Amino acid sequence: MSQDKIDILQRALAREKAARKQAESILEKKSAELYETNQKLEQSYTELETILSKKDSQLQGVFENIVDAYLIMDLFGNVLKMNDAALQLLGFKVDQTDFNLMSMVQPSDLERVNKSFKSLLEKGTLTDFEIKIKTCLNVEKLVHINASIIFHNKVPIAAQGIIRDITKDKEAEDKLKESENRLATLILNLDSGVVLEDENRKIVLTNKKFTDLFNIDASPSELIGLDCQEAAKQNSLLFKNPEAFLARMDDIDHKKETVLGDELDMVDGKILERNYIPIVHGDQSKGYLWTFKDVTLNRTYRKSLETEKQKYYNIISNMNLGLVELDLNDKILMVNQTFINMTGYTEAELIGVKGKDLFPVHEDKRIIEEQIKARKKGKTASYELRINDKQGNVRYWLISGAPNYDLEGNIIGSIGLNFDITEIKNLEFQKENLLSELAKSNNELQEYAHIVSHDLKSPLRSINALVSWIKEDNTDKLDAASIQNFDLIEVTLEKMEQLITDILDYSSIGAEESDKIEINTQDLVEDLIEILYIPEHISVQITNTLPVVLGHKTKLQQVFQNLISNSVKFIDKPQGIIQISAETLSDSYQFSIQDNGMGIATQFHDKIFKVFHSLQHSKDSSGIGLSIVQKIVHMHDGKIWLESEPNIGTTFTFTMKKIE
């Protein structure tokens, strides 16, 4: 080690020795001071005991007569003496000694207690000090303390204090504050404007709704302390009748009686509802509570409701339907004028009477009894009923009955709408008679048509036979012109017979109303193609599967037969094509019969379905075939039309409803 380092260490050691001697000197000095202080403290305790002994007789009277807890402690918190109230409050035993009050303080309050004790030493008194303590019985209490310092020769030697248990008072105060806060919060957030006044008509509390209603440009807190009478005068201009507003307020304030539901009309169209409640304690007035609520919408709605009610009452009173309301026992509660007119009874004669005993024809009483039972079960229904009016006339009514409910949803009776359908029923009876007579006439007409057709065909056949006989008997005698004329006669006779047959078929459509059956049109058309005469140069094709429909088989066979034969008849091409197809629509099937024949000009499209109308005069065409087709299609709730161009071809299309 170098000499420099050795010198440094020696100097550091010397400084450390000097510091140690100095510290020992200070320690000896402090020890002497502490001993002297301890001697003085022992002397002070001796003097305090002497003083307390001297004062004991004087304090004994105080201890015995004071109601509140009273104790004396030394300056370190040790209890020196206490009365019975203090013993009970703090939970001490009578013979308990050597107790320090600081042990009752919560750790979180130690710092606050220390500051308060310093203030007590400095000022000599401590007032209204509140602290939560835990007693010797481990019970938490909130106490109120007033204390003072005890001096001897101007030197503080002890402290005395009066302690009050304010735990319950504090709890009550907290609950009161909570209640006040809740009340204040409720008032501030009410949907009504609120003003609370004191006995001098000064504002104590108000809310935002009040300032909004009266368009006051200030917060509720800024209105506290204002004179309500002056404020009312300023705000009176907001009302349609300011003088009446002020006079009414003065009258209310003078009588000091509760007022509810006052209505105030404002200049801006609003309607306010005002309530006034005086606050009285005993015989003394403690203030006033005013509330204001905007009821414009409610009043407008009420007026509209009353208007609507009157409107519907007028409608009910004057409508052509008899209205009756009954209770659960079928007793009439209310009727309108139409019901009175329908029955012939007066309102007084109807109210309270059981409807089922008064109106129904005897045979129909069972119907109304069943309907009454249904109403009680909550069912609604419409039904016909025969009734006797006051004059004894039988009338037919159409009744719509429904249960009547109260606000809780309980059935309390029924309501009936009654419509007199006597005239309609009479018309129905007449219609049934007419239909019966018409059916009879149709049957007679059908029989007559068969007889006439037979009677007409007989002479035709006779004429045809005579013509044939004349031709056979005079074959060598007749010239070519005569033979041709006889041939024309035969053709005409055949055409006339065909016409009679077609007329009979046309008149017979709809006469036989047998039940419809399911028909496989694919099979039907295939069978027709087999039996119909189809020339070799014409082909008939079914392009897709034909559906099953509901109809009359013979009549549908006539439809396809007539349309296919019609196409065969008017094909003028060397190679003829007839295509039959079907398409499924939303509620029906659409059939098409398409050919490449001579076609039909547009101006004739509407004429070809008319009876006796034929575009080509032929012995094979009577002009009734397409009319028969149209009639059969219509009978099956369908429609038929065509699309055609001359020299290109024709497509007949018709529809039939699907099977439901």
Side-chain angles (χ1 to χ4, degrees):
M1 182 181 296
S2 64
Q3 185 62 42
D4 293 335
K5 290 183 179 181
I6 293 172
D7 293 340
I8 292 171
L9 291 174
Q10 288 178 346
R11 287 196 296 274
L13 182 60
R15 284 196 298 273
E16 185 178 348
K17 289 180 178 180
R20 185 178 297 172
K21 289 182 179 181
Q22 186 176 2
E24 290 175 352
S25 175
I26 293 172
L27 184 59
E28 290 176 359
K29 184 178 180 181
K30 291 296 181 181
S31 297
E33 291 176 357
L34 183 59
Y35 176 78
E36 185 178 349
T37 302
N38 188 43
Q39 292 297 320
K40 290 181 179 179
L41 185 59
E42 289 180 358
Q43 184 178 356
S44 297
Y45 270 116
T46 302
E47 292 174 354
L48 178 59
E49 289 176 355
T50 303
I51 293 170
L52 291 176
S53 298
K54 291 179 180 179
K55 297 293 183 180
D56 187 59
S57 58
Q58 299 174 9
L59 292 175
Q60 188 64 35
V62 175
F63 272 64
E64 290 175 355
N65 296 304
I66 194 168
V67 176
D68 295 319
Y70 175 80
L71 63 77
I72 299 174
M73 67 174 188
D74 63 18
L75 298 181
F76 298 97
N78 297 306
V79 176
L80 300 176
K81 195 172 185 62
M82 67 178 71
N83 63 357
D84 292 339
L87 287 171
Q88 185 176 357
L89 172 63
L90 301 179
F92 282 108
K93 296 179 181 178
V94 177
D95 57 350
Q96 187 174 352
T97 58
D98 192 21
F99 187 85
N100 193 288
L101 294 175
M102 293 298 290
S103 62
M104 293 185 174
V105 179
Q106 302 288 345
S108 57
D109 289 333
L110 287 175
E111 184 176 353
R112 189 165 70 92
V113 171
N114 289 331
K115 290 181 178 179
S116 300
F117 191 73
K118 288 181 180 179
S119 175
L120 174 63
L121 290 174
E122 292 173 358
K123 299 178 180 179
T125 59
L126 178 66
T127 58
D128 298 329
F129 181 70
E130 295 180 1
I131 186 72
K132 185 178 287 186
I133 64 172
K134 184 174 289 187
T135 68
C136 294
L137 299 177
N138 206 29
V139 177
E140 285 191 354
K141 291 187 178 182
L142 182 67
V143 295
H144 176 274
I145 301 172
N146 286 320
S148 62
I149 296 294
I150 298 174
F151 293 92
H152 177 65
N153 296 329
K154 299 182 179 181
V155 176
I157 59 173
Q160 61 183 350
I162 294 175
I163 307 171
R164 291 193 180 96
D165 184 356
I166 61 170
T167 306
K168 292 183 179 179
D169 294 341
K170 188 64 176 178
E171 289 176 356
E173 182 182 348
D174 290 342
K175 288 181 180 179
L176 181 61
K177 286 182 179 179
E178 288 178 5
S179 178
E180 290 176 350
N181 290 335
R182 283 195 297 268
L183 181 59
T185 303
L186 177 63
I187 291 174
L188 292 174
N189 293 282
L190 275 177
D191 192 38
S192 300
V194 177
V195 177
L196 179 63
E197 305 174 358
D198 62 15
E199 62 275 16
N200 298 315
R201 299 293 310 276
K202 304 294 184 183
I203 294 177
V204 176
L205 179 67
T206 185
N207 63 353
K208 184 70 168 54
K209 190 67 177 180
F210 175 78
T211 60
D212 292 341
L213 288 175
F214 290 91
N215 300 318
I216 298 173
D217 189 18
S219 66
S221 59
E222 292 174 333
L223 300 180
I224 295 175
L226 291 181
D227 189 300
C228 284
Q229 288 181 315
E230 290 298 322
K233 291 179 182 178
Q234 295 176 8
N235 292 327
S236 64
L237 298 177
L238 298 174
F239 298 91
K240 289 184 178 180
N241 193 335
E243 292 79 9
F245 169 75
L246 293 174
R248 177 62 175 154
M249 284 202 72
D250 291 341
D251 181 60
I252 292 173
D253 181 48
H254 176 72
K255 293 180 179 179
K256 291 184 173 50
E257 297 176 350
T258 299
V259 175
L260 301 175
D262 258 9
E263 285 194 3
L264 306 171
D265 293 325
M266 301 187 74
V267 176
D268 61 3
K270 286 192 293 191
I271 301 174
L272 299 185
E273 182 182 82
R274 174 177 58 187
N275 298 320
Y276 168 81
I277 302 173
I279 301 172
V280 180
H281 182 67
D283 296 331
Q284 293 184 346
S285 173
K286 294 297 182 180
Y288 318 94
L289 177 66
W290 300 85
T291 66
F292 301 87
K293 186 175 182 179
D294 187 347
V295 294
T296 309
L297 185 61
N298 292 343
R299 296 298 180 267
T300 304
Y301 178 74
R302 186 177 67 186
K303 291 178 181 177
S304 299
L305 192 62
E306 290 175 354
T307 303
E308 290 295 313
K309 181 180 178 181
Q310 186 61 40
K311 181 176 73 174
Y312 287 111
Y313 177 78
N314 293 335
I315 292 173
I316 290 171
S317 299
N318 297 286
M319 67 182 180
N320 195 30
L321 294 172
L323 177 67
V324 59
E325 181 181 349
L326 306 103
D327 63 15
L328 287 173
N329 296 318
D330 195 43
K331 289 184 179 180
I332 297 174
L333 301 176
M334 184 276 290
V335 293
N336 69 345
Q337 187 59 46
T338 302
F339 188 87
I340 293 171
N341 297 337
M342 289 170 62
T343 61
Y345 292 96
T346 64
E347 184 177 8
E349 291 173 324
L350 293 172
I351 301 300
V353 176
K354 288 189 176 183
K356 67 178 180 180
D357 296 335
L358 184 63
F359 300 119
V361 172
H362 180 73
E363 293 79 4
D364 289 357
K365 280 190 175 182
R366 177 184 55 81
I367 298 174
I368 197 166
E369 287 173 353
E370 291 176 353
Q371 293 297 328
I372 291 172
K373 292 178 181 177
R375 294 300 86 75
K376 292 179 179 180
K377 294 179 180 179
K379 296 180 179 179
T380 300
S382 296
Y383 56 96
E384 290 185 12
L385 189 71
R386 290 178 297 173
I387 68 106
N388 292 308
D389 63 13
K390 188 176 181 180
Q391 289 73 35
N393 301 316
V394 176
R395 309 292 296 179
Y396 289 86
W397 282 8
L398 177 63
I399 301 174
S400 178
N404 190 19
Y405 298 91
D406 61 15
L407 295 177
E408 285 74 33
N410 302 312
I411 297 176
I412 57 174
S414 60
I415 295 176
L417 286 175
N418 307 276
F419 182 56
D420 192 330
I421 58 172
T422 306
E423 301 302 326
I424 298 174
K425 293 297 289 187
N426 290 336
L427 289 174
E428 285 183 2
F429 295 147
Q430 294 177 18
K431 178 183 175 183
E432 289 175 2
N433 293 333
L434 288 173
L435 288 175
S436 178
E437 293 177 4
L438 182 60
K440 183 178 179 181
S441 298
N442 284 337
N443 291 333
E444 293 174 351
L445 183 61
Q446 189 69 23
E447 292 176 2
Y448 177 74
H450 280 281
I451 294 171
V452 169
S453 65
H454 181 269
D455 291 345
L456 288 174
K457 286 182 179 182
S458 293
L460 288 177
R461 293 190 185 104
S462 299
I463 293 171
N464 189 45
L466 290 172
V467 170
S468 298
W469 293 344
I470 293 172
K471 285 173 65 179
E472 290 176 1
D473 293 343
N474 298 280
T475 302
D476 297 333
K477 298 177 182 180
L478 296 173
D479 57 12
S482 297
I483 296 296
Q484 185 178 4
N485 288 332
F486 277 115
D487 290 339
L488 289 174
I489 291 173
E490 289 178 336
V491 170
T492 303
L493 290 172
E494 290 177 6
K495 186 174 182 180
M496 194 169 182
E497 185 176 2
Q498 181 63 44
L499 177 61
I500 292 170
T501 301
D502 288 344
I503 290 173
L504 182 61
D505 290 341
Y506 185 80
S507 64
S508 299
I509 296 173
E512 299 177 2
E513 287 296 334
S514 58
D515 292 336
K516 295 178 181 179
I517 61 171
E518 291 187 4
I519 302 165
N520 189 323
T521 56
Q522 178 79 17
D523 296 341
L524 185 145
V525 173
E526 288 177 351
D527 292 343
L528 270 177
I529 295 173
E530 291 293 328
I531 63 173
L532 287 175
Y533 170 69
I534 309 294
E536 293 182 358
H537 73 287
I538 297 175
S539 66
V540 180
Q541 305 167 0
I542 301 176
T543 60
N544 61 349
T545 303
L546 303 182
V548 175
V549 298
L550 196 66
H552 302 286
K553 185 174 182 179
T554 304
K555 291 181 173 58
L556 288 180
Q557 191 172 356
Q558 280 183 277
V559 171
F560 284 103
Q561 180 177 337
N562 279 331
L563 292 176
I564 295 171
S565 299
N566 194 69
S567 294
V568 169
K569 191 185 304 180
F570 294 106
I571 288 178
D572 57 351
K573 307 294 189 302
Q575 186 66 38
I577 301 174
I578 300 173
Q579 293 181 328
I580 303 171
S581 62
E583 180 182 352
T584 302
L585 304 179
S586 60
D587 60 349
S588 62
Y589 297 111
Q590 181 173 294
F591 295 89
S592 297
I593 292 87
Q594 182 179 7
D595 64 57
N596 63 341
M598 63 179 61
I600 304 171
T602 306
Q603 63 267 29
F604 300 114
H605 287 189
D606 294 333
K607 296 179 180 179
I608 63 172
F609 292 110
K610 293 182 179 178
V611 180
F612 303 127
H613 192 92
S614 176
L615 300 182
Q616 294 284 336
H617 295 287
S618 169
K619 69 175 183 178
D620 300 324
S621 177
S622 62
I624 299 180
L626 289 177
S627 300
I628 292 174
V629 169
Q630 185 184 54
K631 192 171 183 180
I632 294 172
V633 170
H634 288 171
M635 188 179 71
H636 286 79
D637 299 322
K639 58 183 180 177
I640 185 169
W641 67 94
L642 77 151
E643 298 173 356
S644 181
E645 288 186 46
N647 301 319
I648 294 177
T650 302
T651 301
F652 280 92
T653 305
F654 67 93
T655 61
M656 289 192 69
K657 282 191 174 181
K658 287 181 178 179
I659 299 175
E660 295 180 354

